[in-house]
C-alpha cells in the first residue's frame, strides 16, 4: 500500500473519535451527509482544475451573463455536509444573482476524512502549498482563468470545520484572499494535530492577542502586503464550537491589523444579533464580529424576499439573520464602499522600530513611503499622532507598561494606507497595576480568562478551580502578570 493512501486511512480512523463533537449532530440529522454524485440546479462540477493535492471536488455556481472581472467567493461546507447543501441553503447563489459574482463550493468527502470535515487541524492539509488548502487555491486560479475573476476581489467563507479552514486559508494565503468570514469556526492554527482538535472546539488555547496574531503571521513568513478583512459569526448558545473561539478569532485578527480589541462601534441587527466593528487606521472596518444571542451551532440565514434576507432554513442553517448578506456588504460585493477589498492606498511603512523607551516615553522610527504627506501613529488601536516625518516619541505614559503601535502612510488627500505590522514598546520602571474582573464562570471563559475541563472551570495560568461551568457561579479574577489569573474574591489589590 502506498504511504499516501496509508496516511489517509490513519486520518480517517483517528478523526472519527477526535472530531465526533463537531459532526455528531450533523451526521445524524443532515440528509445531505453522503457525497453528491451529481450537482443539483445551477451548481456544476468542475474537473481538471489542477493537480489537486488535497483530493477535493470542485463545484461552481456562475450567474448567467456574468461579466469578466467579477468578484469570486469560495464557500466551505461543515462536517458531514456537501457542496450541494451549502449551495442550497447558505444564500450565496441568491446574492451572486443579485450582485454579480462567481461562487466556488469545494467539497471534501469521507475518503479524506471519516466525517467529511475539512482538515483545519492538520498541517498537511491547511498550510500554504499543501493538501486541501493548495487544492482550494487551485480552484481559485481555475476560476480566474476560466471566468476572468478579479484577483483583487477573492473572498472565502465557511461554517464550522469549513470556518476553521477559512481562517487557516486567510493566514496561509493573505495574498490570495481580500477578506474572509468565519461562521461557528476556529482561529487560524488553533490545532495542529488531531489530538488537539476537540480541545479547540470547547475552549481554544488561552493565548494573548499577540500570540494568536503570531499564528497568522507564521502562515506566510515575510508577507508584507495588506491583510484580509475578517467577519466572525457566532451563536451565544453554541455548544459544539464554543463562543470562546469567536473571542480568540477577534483577538487574532485585530492583532494582525494592529488595532486593539476595543470596538470602534457596536449596533443591534435583526435576529438578536450584535455587530461590533473594529476599524483600521483609515477608519474603515477591518474586523467585524456578529454575536447571535441564543443561537446554537450553524450558519445564520433568513429566508424571505426582503432586501436583507437570503438562504434556506435546514439542519445547521438557522433562521435568525442572513449572515451571507451582511458579510457580502462588509466585503463590498453589493457595490458599496467595501470594508474589505479594493484599493488600500499607500503601502505600509517598512522598518517600524522601537528606538528607545523611558519610564514615560516610547520612541519609534520607520522608513519613508513615497507619496506620503504625513503618517498616522496608533497606540493600542487608537490614533494618537499625525507626524510629517518618519519618527515619533509618545509621551506621558505610565511606567512599566507595554503598548502596541502601528504606523500608516497618509496621502495628500488625507487617505490613510495599509497599517504596518504592530511593534511593542514597554516603558521602563515600575510595574503595571493588577487588573481584576468579576463575572460568571461562563463569562470568564468566554473572555479568555479561564478554561473548561470536565465540566469545571479553571483560571488560566494558576489553574485554580473555580467550580462548575455555568452562569450561576461568580468569581473575581486578578491578572498579574499578564495572562496569569488567580481567584481574588476577597478583594483585588496590586
Amino acid at each position: 500500500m502506498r504511504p499516501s493512501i496509508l496516511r489517509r486511512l490513519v486520518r480517517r480512523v483517528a478523526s472519527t473519535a477526535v472530531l465526533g463533537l463537531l459532526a455528531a449532530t450533523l451526521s445524524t440529522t443532515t440528509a445531505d451527509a453522503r457525497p453528491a454524485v451529481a450537482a443539483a440546479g445551477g451548481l456544476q462540477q468542475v474537473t481538471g482544475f489542477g493537480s489537486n493535492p488535497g483530493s477535493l471536488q470542485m463545484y461552481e455556481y456562475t450567474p448567467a451573463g456574468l461579466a469578466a472581472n467579477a468578484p469570486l467567493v469560495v464557500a466551505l461546507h461543515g462536517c458531514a455536509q456537501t457542496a450541494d447543501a451549502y449551495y442550497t441553503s447558505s444564500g450565496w447563489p441568491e446574492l451572486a444573482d443579485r450582485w454579480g459574482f462567481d461562487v466556488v463550493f469545494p467539497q471534501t468527502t469521507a475518503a479524506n476524512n471519516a466525517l467529511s470535515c475539512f482538515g483545519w487541524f492538520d498541517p498537511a492539509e491547511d498550510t500554504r502549498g499543501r493538501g486541501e488548502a493548495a487544492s482550494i487555491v487551485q480552484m481559485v486560479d481555475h476560476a480566474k482563468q476560466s471566468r476572468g475573476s478579479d484577483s483583487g476581489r477573492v473572498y472565502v467563507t465557511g461554517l464550522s470545520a469549513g470556518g476553521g479552514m477559512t481562517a487557516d486559508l486567510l493566514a496561509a494565503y493573505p495574498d490570495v484572499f481580500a477578506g474572509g468570514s468565519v461562521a461557528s469556526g476556529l482561529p487560524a492554527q488553533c490545532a495542529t494535530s488531531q489530538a488537539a482538535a476537540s480541545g479547540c472546539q470547547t475552549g481554544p488555547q488561552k493565548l494573548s492577542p499577540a500570540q494568536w496574531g503570531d499564528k497568522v503571521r507564521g502562515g506566510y513568513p515575510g508577507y508584507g502586503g495588506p491583510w484580509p478583512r475578517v467577519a466572525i459569526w457566532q451563536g451565544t448558545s453554541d455548544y459544539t464550537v464554543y463562543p470562546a473561539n469567536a473571542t480568540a478569532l477577534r483577538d487574532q485578527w485585530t492583532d494582525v491589523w494592529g488595532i486593539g480589541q476595543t470596538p470602534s462601534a457596536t449596533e443591534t441587527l435583526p435576529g438578536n444579533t450584535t455587530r461590533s466593528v473594529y476599524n483600521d487606521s483609515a477608519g474603515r472596518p477591518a474586523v467585524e464580529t456578529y454575536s447571535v444571542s441564543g443561537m446554537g451551532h450553524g450558519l445564520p440565514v433568513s429566508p424571505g424576499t426582503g432586501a436583507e434576507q437570503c438562504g434556506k432554513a435546514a439542519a445547521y442553517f438557522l433562521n435568525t439573520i442572513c449572515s451571507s448578506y451582511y458579510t457580502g456588504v462588509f466585503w463590498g460585493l453589493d457595490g458599496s464602499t467595501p470594508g474589505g477589498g479594493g484599493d488600500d492606498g499607500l503601502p505600509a511603512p517598512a522598518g517600524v522600530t522601537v528606538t528607545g523607551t523611558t519610564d514615560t516615553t516610547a520612541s519609534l522610527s520607520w522608513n519613508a513611503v513615497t507619496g506620503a504627506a504625513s503618517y498616522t501613529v496608533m497606540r493600542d488601536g487608537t490614533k494618537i499622532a499625525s507626524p510629517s516625518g518618519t519618527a515619533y516619541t509618545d509621551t506621558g505614559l505610565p511606567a512599566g507598561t507595554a503598548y502596541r503601535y502601528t504606523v500608516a502612510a497618509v496621502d495628500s488627500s488625507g487617505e490613510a494606507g495599509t497599517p504596518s505590522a504592530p511593534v511593542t514598546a514597554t516603558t521602563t520602571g515600575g510595574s503595571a497595576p493588577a487588573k481584576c474582573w468579576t463575572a460568571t464562570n461562563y463569562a470568564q471563559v468566554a473572555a479568555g480568562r479561564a478554561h473548561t475541563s470536565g465540566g469545571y472551570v479553571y483560571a488560566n495560568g494558576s489553574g485554580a478551580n473555580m467550580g462548575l461551568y455555568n452562569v450561576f457561579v461568580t468569581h473575581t479574577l486578578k491578572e498579574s502578570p499578564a495572562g496569569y489569573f488567580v481567584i481574588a474574591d476577597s478583594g483585588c489589590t496590586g
Side-chain angles (χ1 to χ4, degrees), residues 387-412:
S388 58
T390 57
Y392 175 73
T393 297
D394 195 10
T395 61
L397 303 174
T401 305
Y403 298 97
R404 293 176 67 77
Y405 294 91
T406 59
V407 181
V410 180
D411 63 23
S412 58

Side-chain angles (χ1 to χ4, degrees), residues 48 78 146 160 184 186 241 293 304 391 395 428 468:
S146 64
S160 194
S184 299
L186 300 303
V241 175
S293 180
T395 61
T428 59
L468 293 172

Side-chain angles (χ1 to χ4, degrees), residues 135-216:
S135 289
I136 292 168
V137 171
Q138 288 181 357
M139 296 180 196
V140 170
D141 291 339
H142 184 276
K144 291 178 184 177
Q145 295 166 7
S146 64
R147 303 293 183 186
S149 301
D150 184 351
S151 295
R153 293 187 293 167
V154 179
Y155 307 91
V156 60
T157 180
L159 165 65
S160 194
M165 180 60 84
T166 292
D168 290 337
L169 285 165
L170 294 173
Y173 293 98
D175 53 332
V176 172
F177 299 104
S181 179
V182 181
S184 299
L186 300 303
Q189 297 302 316
C190 181
T192 55
S193 70
Q194 294 167 339
S198 291
C200 279
Q201 293 162 211
T202 56
Q205 304 167 59
K206 308 309 173 184
L207 302 179
S208 68
Q211 290 171 319
W212 280 120
D214 285 344
K215 288 180 176 288
V216 171

Side-chain angles (χ1 to χ4, degrees), residues 413-434:
S413 69
E415 180 74 13
T418 302
S420 68
V423 295
T424 300
T426 303
T427 52
T428 59
S431 60

Side-chain angles (χ1 to χ4, degrees), residues 124-294:
E125 301 292 351
D126 67 358
T127 53
R128 188 176 179 90
R130 303 186 70 185
E132 294 176 352
S135 289
I136 292 168
V137 171
Q138 288 181 357
M139 296 180 196
V140 170
D141 291 339
H142 184 276
K144 291 178 184 177
Q145 295 166 7
S146 64
R147 303 293 183 186
S149 301
D150 184 351
S151 295
R153 293 187 293 167
V154 179
Y155 307 91
V156 60
T157 180
L159 165 65
S160 194
M165 180 60 84
T166 292
D168 290 337
L169 285 165
L170 294 173
Y173 293 98
D175 53 332
V176 172
F177 299 104
S181 179
V182 181
S184 299
L186 300 303
Q189 297 302 316
C190 181
T192 55
S193 70
Q194 294 167 339
S198 291
C200 279
Q201 293 162 211
T202 56
Q205 304 167 59
K206 308 309 173 184
L207 302 179
S208 68
Q211 290 171 319
W212 280 120
D214 285 344
K215 288 180 176 288
V216 171
R217 288 182 283 270
Y220 185 12
Y223 175 70
W227 290 105
R229 299 177 188 264
V230 182
I232 301 158
W233 290 85
Q234 181 71 49
T236 62
S237 298
D238 188 341
Y239 302 114
T240 300
V241 175
Y242 281 38
N245 285 283
T247 301
L249 277 159
R250 179 208 64 186
D251 290 354
Q252 183 170 69
W253 289 100
T254 53
D255 179 80
V256 166
W257 276 87
I259 55 178
Q261 289 73 55
T262 300
S264 306
T266 60
E267 64 176 315
T268 301
L269 299 177
N272 296 317
T273 303
T274 300
R275 173 166 57 190
S276 299
V277 181
Y278 302 81
N279 288 340
D280 64 13
S281 58
R284 294 181 299 176
V287 177
E288 293 189 349
T289 64
Y290 298 79
S291 177
V292 187
S293 180

